[in-house]
Coordinates of all heavy atoms in Angstrom, one line a residue:
L27 N -5.5 5.8 26.1 CA -5.7 7.1 25.6 C -7.0 7.0 24.7 O -7.2 5.9 24.1 CB -4.6 7.6 24.7 CG -3.2 7.7 25.5 CD1 -2.1 8.1 24.5 CD2 -3.3 8.7 26.6
I28 N -7.8 8.1 24.7 CA -9.0 8.1 23.9 C -9.0 9.3 23.0 O -8.8 10.4 23.5 CB -10.3 8.0 24.8 CG1 -10.2 6.7 25.7 CG2 -11.5 8.1 24.0 CD1 -11.3 6.7 26.7
V29 N -9.3 9.1 21.8 CA -9.5 10.3 20.8 C -10.9 10.6 20.5 O -11.7 9.7 20.3 CB -8.7 9.9 19.5 CG1 -8.8 11.1 18.5 CG2 -7.3 9.5 19.7
Y30 N -11.2 11.8 20.7 CA -12.6 12.3 20.4 C -12.5 13.4 19.3 O -11.7 14.4 19.5 CB -13.2 12.9 21.6 CG -13.5 12.0 22.7 CD1 -12.7 11.8 23.8 CD2 -14.7 11.2 22.7 CE1 -12.9 11.0 24.8 CE2 -15.0 10.4 23.8 CZ -14.1 10.2 24.8 OH -14.4 9.4 25.8
P31 N -13.4 13.4 18.3 CA -13.5 14.5 17.4 C -14.2 15.7 18.1 O -15.1 15.5 18.9 CB -14.4 14.0 16.3 CG -15.1 12.9 16.8 CD -14.3 12.3 17.9
D32 N -13.7 16.9 18.0 CA -14.3 18.1 18.6 C -15.2 18.8 17.6 O -16.0 19.7 18.1 CB -13.2 19.1 19.0 CG -12.3 18.5 20.1 OD1 -12.8 17.7 20.9 OD2 -11.1 18.8 20.1
K33 N -15.1 18.6 16.3 CA -15.8 19.3 15.3 C -15.7 18.5 14.0 O -14.8 17.7 13.9 CB -15.2 20.7 15.2 CG -16.0 21.7 14.3 CD -15.3 23.1 14.4 CE -16.0 24.0 13.4 NZ -15.3 25.3 13.4
Y34 N -16.6 18.7 13.1 CA -16.6 18.2 11.7 C -17.1 16.7 11.6 O -17.6 16.3 10.6 CB -15.2 18.3 11.0 CG -14.7 19.7 11.0 CD1 -13.5 20.0 11.7 CD2 -15.3 20.7 10.3 CE1 -13.0 21.3 11.6 CE2 -14.8 22.0 10.2 CZ -13.6 22.3 10.9 OH -13.1 23.5 10.9
Q35 N -16.8 15.9 12.6 CA -17.2 14.5 12.6 C -18.2 14.2 13.7 O -18.3 14.9 14.7 CB -16.0 13.6 12.7 CG -15.0 13.7 11.5 CD -13.8 12.8 11.7 OE1 -13.7 12.0 12.6 NE2 -12.9 12.8 10.7
T36 N -18.9 13.1 13.5 CA -19.9 12.6 14.5 C -19.1 12.3 15.8 O -18.0 11.7 15.7 CB -20.6 11.3 14.0 OG1 -21.2 11.7 12.7 CG2 -21.6 10.8 15.0
A37 N -19.7 12.6 16.9 CA -19.1 12.3 18.2 C -18.9 10.8 18.4 O -19.9 10.1 18.2 CB -19.9 12.9 19.3
S38 N -17.7 10.4 18.7 CA -17.4 9.0 18.9 C -16.1 9.0 19.7 O -15.4 10.0 19.8 CB -17.2 8.3 17.6 OG -16.1 8.8 16.9
A39 N -15.8 7.8 20.3 CA -14.6 7.6 21.0 C -13.7 6.6 20.4 O -14.3 5.5 20.0 CB -14.9 7.2 22.5
T40 N -12.5 6.8 20.1 CA -11.6 5.8 19.6 C -10.5 5.5 20.6 O -9.6 6.4 20.9 CB -10.9 6.3 18.3 OG1 -12.0 6.7 17.4 CG2 -10.1 5.2 17.7
P41 N -10.6 4.4 21.3 CA -9.7 4.1 22.4 C -8.4 3.4 21.8 O -8.4 2.7 20.8 CB -10.4 3.1 23.2 CG -11.3 2.3 22.3 CD -11.7 3.4 21.2
F42 N -7.3 3.7 22.6 CA -6.0 3.1 22.3 C -5.3 2.7 23.6 O -5.4 3.4 24.5 CB -5.0 4.1 21.6 CG -5.5 4.5 20.2 CD1 -6.3 5.6 20.0 CD2 -5.1 3.8 19.1 CE1 -6.7 6.0 18.8 CE2 -5.5 4.2 17.8 CZ -6.3 5.3 17.7
T43 N -4.6 1.6 23.5 CA -3.7 1.2 24.7 C -2.3 1.3 24.1 O -2.0 0.6 23.1 CB -4.0 -0.3 25.2 OG1 -5.4 -0.3 25.6 CG2 -3.1 -0.6 26.3
V44 N -1.5 2.2 24.7 CA -0.2 2.4 24.2 C 0.8 1.8 25.3 O 0.9 2.3 26.4 CB 0.1 3.9 24.1 CG1 1.5 4.1 23.5 CG2 -1.0 4.5 23.2
T45 N 1.5 0.8 24.9 CA 2.5 0.2 25.7 C 3.8 0.8 25.5 O 4.1 1.5 24.5 CB 2.6 -1.4 25.5 OG1 3.0 -1.5 24.1 CG2 1.3 -2.1 25.7
R46 N 4.7 0.6 26.5 CA 6.1 1.2 26.4 C 6.8 0.8 25.1 O 6.9 -0.3 24.7 CB 6.9 0.8 27.5 CG 8.3 1.4 27.5 CD 9.1 0.9 28.7 NE 10.4 1.6 28.7 CZ 10.8 2.5 29.5 NH1 10.1 2.8 30.5 NH2 12.0 3.0 29.5
G47 N 7.2 1.8 24.3 CA 8.0 1.6 23.1 C 7.1 1.2 21.9 O 7.7 0.9 20.8
A48 N 5.8 1.2 22.0 CA 5.0 0.8 20.9 C 4.0 1.9 20.5 O 2.9 2.0 21.1 CB 4.2 -0.5 21.2
D49 N 4.4 2.8 19.7 CA 3.6 3.9 19.3 C 2.3 3.5 18.6 O 2.2 2.5 17.9 CB 4.3 4.9 18.4 CG 5.5 5.5 19.0 OD1 5.7 5.4 20.3 OD2 6.3 6.2 18.3
K50 N 1.2 4.3 18.8 CA 0.0 4.1 18.1 C -0.3 5.4 17.3 O 0.1 6.5 17.7 CB -1.2 3.8 19.1 CG -1.0 2.6 20.0 CD -1.2 1.3 19.2 CE -1.2 0.2 20.2 NZ -1.7 -1.0 19.6
T51 N -1.1 5.2 16.2 CA -1.4 6.4 15.4 C -2.9 6.5 15.2 O -3.6 5.5 15.1 CB -0.7 6.4 14.1 OG1 -1.0 5.2 13.3 CG2 0.8 6.5 14.2
Y52 N -3.3 7.7 15.0 CA -4.7 8.0 14.7 C -4.6 9.0 13.6 O -3.9 10.0 13.7 CB -5.4 8.6 15.9 CG -6.8 9.2 15.6 CD1 -7.9 8.4 15.6 CD2 -6.9 10.6 15.3 CE1 -9.2 9.0 15.2 CE2 -8.2 11.1 15.0 CZ -9.3 10.3 15.0 OH -10.5 10.8 14.7
T53 N -5.4 8.7 12.5 CA -5.3 9.6 11.3 C -6.7 10.2 11.0 O -7.7 9.5 10.9 CB -4.8 8.9 10.1 OG1 -3.5 8.3 10.3 CG2 -4.7 9.8 8.9
W54 N -6.7 11.5 10.9 CA -7.9 12.3 10.6 C -7.7 12.7 9.1 O -6.7 13.2 8.7 CB -7.9 13.6 11.4 CG -9.0 14.5 11.1 CD1 -9.1 15.4 10.0 CD2 -10.1 14.8 12.0 NE1 -10.3 16.1 10.1 CE2 -10.9 15.9 11.3 CE3 -10.5 14.4 13.2 CZ2 -12.1 16.3 11.8 CZ3 -11.7 14.9 13.7 CH2 -12.4 15.9 13.1
T55 N -8.8 12.4 8.3 CA -8.8 12.7 6.9 C -9.8 13.9 6.8 O -11.0 13.8 7.1 CB -9.2 11.6 6.0 OG1 -8.3 10.5 6.2 CG2 -9.2 12.0 4.6
A56 N -9.3 15.1 6.4 CA -10.1 16.3 6.3 C -10.9 16.2 5.0 O -10.4 15.8 3.9 CB -9.2 17.5 6.3
A57 N -12.1 16.8 5.0 CA -13.0 16.8 3.8 C -13.0 18.3 3.3 O -13.0 19.2 4.0 CB -14.4 16.4 4.2
Q58 N -13.0 18.3 2.0 CA -13.1 19.7 1.3 C -14.3 20.4 1.7 O -14.3 21.7 1.9 CB -13.0 19.5 -0.2 CG -13.0 20.9 -0.9 CD -12.8 20.7 -2.4 OE1 -12.9 19.6 -2.9 NE2 -12.5 21.8 -3.1
A59 N -15.4 19.7 2.0 CA -16.6 20.4 2.4 C -16.4 21.2 3.8 O -17.1 22.1 4.0 CB -17.7 19.3 2.6
D60 N -15.5 20.8 4.5 CA -15.1 21.4 5.8 C -13.9 22.3 5.7 O -13.2 22.6 6.6 CB -14.9 20.4 6.9 CG -16.1 19.5 7.2 OD1 -17.2 20.0 7.2 OD2 -15.9 18.3 7.4
S61 N -13.6 22.8 4.4 CA -12.5 23.6 4.2 C -11.2 22.9 4.7 O -10.3 23.6 5.1 CB -12.6 25.0 4.8 OG -13.7 25.7 4.3
Y62 N -11.1 21.6 4.6 CA -10.0 20.8 5.1 C -9.7 21.1 6.5 O -8.6 21.1 7.0 CB -8.8 21.1 4.2 CG -9.0 20.7 2.8 CD1 -9.0 21.7 1.8 CD2 -9.2 19.4 2.4 CE1 -9.2 21.4 0.4 CE2 -9.4 19.1 1.1 CZ -9.5 20.0 0.1 OH -9.7 19.7 -1.2

């Protein structure tokens, strides 16, 4: 799976390999400048 920002952050790809039963997480931290 690949995560891409659609807005607010510089375009980049964050890849993940998710195996059965092993969850992965991606955390977005919102900035006040972007109205969160």
Side-chain angles (χ1 to χ4, degrees):
L27 301 176
I28 300 175
V29 180
Y30 292 97
D32 296 327
K33 190 176 175 183
Y34 305 116
Q35 295 182 359
T36 304
S38 62
T40 305
F42 293 90
T43 299
V44 185
T45 58
R46 182 183 180 110
D49 294 352
K50 299 286 183 163
T51 59
Y52 169 83
T53 301
W54 176 288
T55 302
Q58 185 174 9
D60 297 321
S61 300
Y62 300 113

